[in-house]
Amino acid sequence: EVGGLRMRSVVYTKRGGMDAIDISESPSPQPGQGEVLVEVHRAGINFADLMMRLGLYQPRPPYPFTPGYELSGHIDALGEGVTDFELGQAVVAGVTNGAQQTHVCLPASQTFALPDGVSLEQAAAMPVTHMTAWHMLVHLSNLQPGQTVLIHGAAGGVGTAALQICRIKGAGLVLGTCSGHKSDVVEANGGVAIDRYNDDFVEVVKQR
């Protein structure tokens, strides 16, 4: 236990609705070699988390399990060999599952210090969308400066992350499909909006 406190966790006990969710208590974990213990202040809730509870998403752990892919908080304890963080430091992290609990042990290599000006609320909403977009655009597609990019669903979470990454990486023309009333979101993030219901995105791309 950390500071005499016990860890509280959201638990999906079975496949189902809200009645499938429970709150459990257990001893707080201790960080091992190369790990940090984070006191969680915010944990993201994603589409995948909700579908796991309904039994409609794979992969997922067997029930019961604690959901959650992303979290932000403060370093509460340091494992042996960890020198890049200090107690009380604000951090953000992505995990395989288990973010929705008061304390999480994870490798220091999976943990990132928050820069000044980024709140814990903002940080907890970033790992899933931004790492997904980065994987697609940079890791798989090798995005280069000046390239033209078409993003489908550009006003959503992954879509807006992709728009931001395109801007950071110096992409040229960036087009994004979206519902017409969300065009301002795409344009505010540097993209050319294409109304998915009223425009032919193939023709729009050819004309550009």
Side-chain angles (χ1 to χ4, degrees), residues 3-207:
L5 299 176
R6 292 176 65 82
M7 177 175 70
R8 303 182 73 217
S9 306
V10 172
V11 177
Y12 288 172
T13 61
K14 59 183 179 180
R15 173 179 175 174
M18 296 299 291
D19 62 330
I21 301 175
D22 194 11
I23 303 295
S24 71
E25 289 195 6
S26 59
S28 294
Q30 295 294 319
Q33 174 79 29
E35 292 184 331
V36 295
L37 176 65
V38 178
E39 181 185 7
V40 178
H41 283 245
R42 296 288 186 273
I45 301 176
N46 287 277
F47 177 79
D49 299 319
L50 303 180
M51 291 300 101
M52 283 183 186
R53 174 171 54 79
L54 296 174
L56 301 176
Y57 191 92
Q58 292 291 346
R60 64 162 173 78
Y63 301 108
F65 70 94
T66 294
Y69 288 127
E70 54 193 357
L71 62 90
S72 66
H74 293 103
I75 298 290
D76 209 36
L78 301 172
E80 184 179 350
V82 177
T83 59
D84 295 336
F85 296 96
E86 58 186 34
L87 295 179
Q89 187 171 7
V91 295
V92 61
V95 294
T96 303
N97 262 305
Q100 295 177 23
Q101 48 193 349
T102 58
H103 293 83
V104 174
C105 271
L106 68 157
S109 59
Q110 271 179 237
T111 311
F112 303 91
L114 283 189
D116 293 339
V118 179
S119 70
L120 292 172
E121 291 82 0
Q122 292 170 324
M126 293 180 65
V128 168
T129 54
H130 285 73
M131 287 194 293
T132 299
W134 184 272
H135 182 73
M136 292 188 298
L137 285 169
V138 180
H139 182 72
L140 296 180
S141 302
N142 191 28
L143 176 64
Q144 297 297 309
Q147 288 185 325
T148 297
V149 180
L150 171 65
I151 302 168
H152 288 288
V158 174
T160 53
L163 288 167
Q164 293 164 3
I165 291 170
C166 283
R167 187 169 66 245
I168 291 169
K169 299 294 286 186
L173 176 63
V174 181
L175 305 104
T177 66
C178 63
S179 300
H181 67 280
K182 296 181 180 179
S183 295
D184 56 338
V185 175
V186 176
E187 292 167 358
N189 282 279
V192 175
I194 302 173
D195 187 331
R196 60 181 294 190
Y197 295 110
N198 297 305
D199 296 329
D200 183 337
F201 75 87
V202 174
E203 290 303 317
V204 173
V205 170
K206 286 181 177 179
Q207 291 168 10

